[in-house]
Amino acid sequence: MASPPLALAQSPPHCWSELPLDLMQLIFERLSFTDFERAKSVCSSWLSGSRRSKPNNKIPWMILFPEEKNYCLLFNPEDKKEKLYKTQHLGDDLADSFCLATCRSWLLMYTFREVPFYILNLLTLERINLPISYVSDSPILWIDERSKDYLVISDDLVYFKKGDNSWKKISEELSDFHEGMVFKDHKLYCLTDDVLGVFDFSGEFPVKVYRVNVGGCVKPETRGQINMHDPWEFHHLRRRNNVVVTLGGDVLIVRSKSPAMSYSWNFRIFKLDSSNGKTKWEEMVSLGDEAILLDLGITVLAKDQEGLTSNSIYFTGDELNFYRTEIFVFNLDTKKVEQLPPLVSSSVSFSRARWFLPSFRND
């Protein structure tokens, strides 16, 4: 008997759930974080296919913390409808907690309860209570998604758990680095008025890599003339120096300035150049295709990314000590600051807004 025609023997699938695995993987890797999570729930076949894929997870999200609530609101810049997503119940003590730092979908939280510090996963609801009694106003959080090893770095102390559930508390010379810290690729970048210090945390103990003089890149804080009839925040920090690490590993110092009695900002960026065996700081006029997320101390690819503008600096009013939750972007081309569209009704009160890079689970 003759064999059936090839077209009949290998008829194409008539159902989306029957897509070949390699084709399904190509689709998943083109999806944003939101669409990736939605696609996983289509059917068991798609859930299985998602376990071999990663989403196009390059777009940062914004977390908004409603006052006296046990949930958060999430804003995805890719969403043209400016839609807010409400998280699950994040614990009875969330209303009394403050977010001090983020690491992907993990939050370092402080509460006034018996266990004051804990780490919370915004999406999976995993929680780790910390045996810490104090951290500075701007600590660093890092956590390994699989092992749950983590680092909490404060002004003058480093706490970490590694593998065997043991705690180590390390006193370092970090107390001098009060301007800002960034942790990326197991390296800690610390800034003072005079020097930039870099520490390597890839081993059992942190090792100092180098110290570089920051020269005229960093300016000390100044305060405006005090008028008792004005809100106190007008007299607070008028200058700020942030250390930023780019996608390519370059180290930047971002210097911000706001004139007294004003909500306008100006930014200057300096890049560390170590070519030809010498170290020097050169002022940058363009970030190219990247954008800075000031509170995370990193750059992200903004070219062809919906919702992000390249050659820009994203920050919140709170980052510059104005205690406001509005989201701003400073365009380095136009030298102007723009406020992003309001995300919620003015009747809703928020304690803080933060950027984070959503992480996902292959399950």
Side-chain angles (χ1 to χ4, degrees):
M1 179 181 295
S3 300
L6 182 61
L8 295 178
Q10 298 182 358
S11 58
H14 297 283
C15 179
W16 284 101
S17 64
E18 299 175 11
L19 285 176
L21 189 59
D22 55 349
L23 180 57
M24 192 181 302
Q25 185 174 353
L26 290 175
I27 295 174
F28 271 110
E29 291 179 350
R30 290 176 176 269
L31 298 178
S32 66
F33 176 83
T34 307
D35 291 336
F36 185 91
E37 292 296 316
R38 290 169 176 165
K40 287 166 54 176
S41 62
V42 169
C43 61
S44 60
S45 176
W46 282 47
L47 177 60
S48 177
S50 71
R51 292 170 179 160
R52 298 182 54 182
S53 310
K54 292 183 178 181
N56 180 19
N57 188 24
K58 299 177 181 179
I59 297 295
W61 285 37
M62 178 65 73
I63 318 172
L64 299 174
F65 295 90
E67 293 182 353
E68 301 180 355
K69 302 294 182 182
N70 54 29
Y71 62 86
C72 297
L73 298 178
L74 308 179
F75 168 65
N76 178 9
E78 288 182 294
D79 197 328
K80 297 180 180 180
K81 298 180 180 179
E82 299 173 9
K83 183 185 300 183
L84 289 171
Y85 299 91
K86 182 179 177 180
T87 68
Q88 303 177 62
H89 186 291
L90 297 178
D92 293 332
D93 55 354
L94 186 75
D96 301 324
S97 301
F98 299 91
C99 181
L100 302 177
T102 68
C103 176
R104 296 180 299 279
S105 297
W106 292 85
L107 312 179
L108 174 61
M109 305 296 293
Y110 169 75
T111 182
F112 295 105
R113 303 201 177 188
E114 182 178 356
V115 180
F117 295 95
Y118 62 96
I119 304 173
L120 175 68
N121 190 301
L122 196 63
L123 304 178
T124 66
L125 308 186
E126 296 172 88
R127 175 168 172 158
I128 303 173
N129 291 330
L130 303 180
I132 299 176
S133 58
Y134 168 79
V135 298
S136 62
D137 291 337
S138 301
I140 294 292
L141 170 67
W142 174 86
I143 185 166
D144 185 285
E145 295 282 4
R146 293 185 179 275
S147 68
K148 302 302 185 292
D149 291 342
Y150 53 85
L151 282 167
V152 178
I153 305 173
S154 188
D155 280 344
D156 56 351
L157 294 172
V158 178
Y159 306 84
F160 68 96
K161 181 192 80 69
K162 193 170 185 178
D164 59 359
N165 292 323
S166 63
W167 265 92
K168 295 186 179 179
K169 177 180 176 181
I170 305 174
S171 293
E172 267 288 358
E173 55 181 306
L174 300 180
S175 58
D176 295 332
F177 295 96
H178 54 79
E179 280 288 345
M181 299 185 293
V182 171
F183 190 83
K184 183 176 181 182
D185 298 330
H186 299 284
K187 285 187 173 63
L188 178 68
Y189 301 82
C190 311
L191 187 63
T192 73
D193 291 338
D194 302 311
V195 299
L196 170 77
V198 181
F199 298 84
D200 188 345
F201 280 76
S202 59
E204 185 175 358
F205 295 98
V207 177
K208 184 193 300 181
V209 179
Y210 61 81
R211 290 167 64 104
V212 179
N213 191 291
V214 296
C217 299
V218 173
K219 297 291 185 180
E221 67 178 65
T222 58
R223 298 176 185 271
Q225 184 178 0
I226 295 179
N227 184 333
M228 298 304 296
H229 298 288
D230 295 318
W232 74 271
E233 60 263 28
F234 278 94
H235 315 296
H236 202 57
L237 192 65
R238 311 317 300 174
R239 296 182 186 270
R240 181 72 179 267
N241 303 289
N242 293 76
V243 57
V244 173
V245 183
T246 69
L247 287 170
D250 292 323
V251 182
L252 310 179
I253 291 178
V254 179
R255 195 168 80 195
S256 56
K257 176 182 177 181
S258 177
M261 311 304 293
S262 171
Y263 282 124
S264 63
W265 293 273
N266 185 39
F267 292 85
R268 295 178 67 183
I269 304 173
F270 300 88
K271 175 183 175 181
L272 180 61
D273 182 6
S274 301
S275 60
N276 301 322
K278 298 181 179 180
T279 57
K280 59 181 179 179
W281 295 93
E282 296 184 345
E283 186 164 5
M284 295 180 63
V285 297
S286 175
L287 296 168
D289 296 334
E290 298 179 25
I292 290 176
L293 302 184
L294 200 58
D295 67 331
L296 294 183
I298 61 172
T299 65
V300 293
L301 185 64
K303 182 181 179 181
D304 300 326
Q305 299 291 341
E306 191 71 40
L308 289 180
T309 303
S310 58
N311 200 30
S312 297
I313 302 173
Y314 286 81
F315 63 101
T316 61
D318 187 70
E319 289 167 23
L320 298 185
N321 294 322
F322 291 118
Y323 288 82
R324 305 167 71 191
T325 57
E326 292 94 334
I327 308 166
F328 297 91
V329 54
F330 179 81
N331 191 305
L332 290 167
D333 291 323
T334 64
K335 305 297 183 183
K336 294 182 179 180
V337 174
E338 298 178 359
Q339 181 181 352
L340 298 189
L343 304 178
V344 293
S345 168
S346 58
S347 63
V348 180
S349 180
F350 293 89
S351 60
R352 189 155 188 157
R354 281 189 175 271
W355 289 106
F356 80 107
L357 292 169
S359 55
F360 68 98
R361 298 177 302 170
N362 288 97
D363 54 11

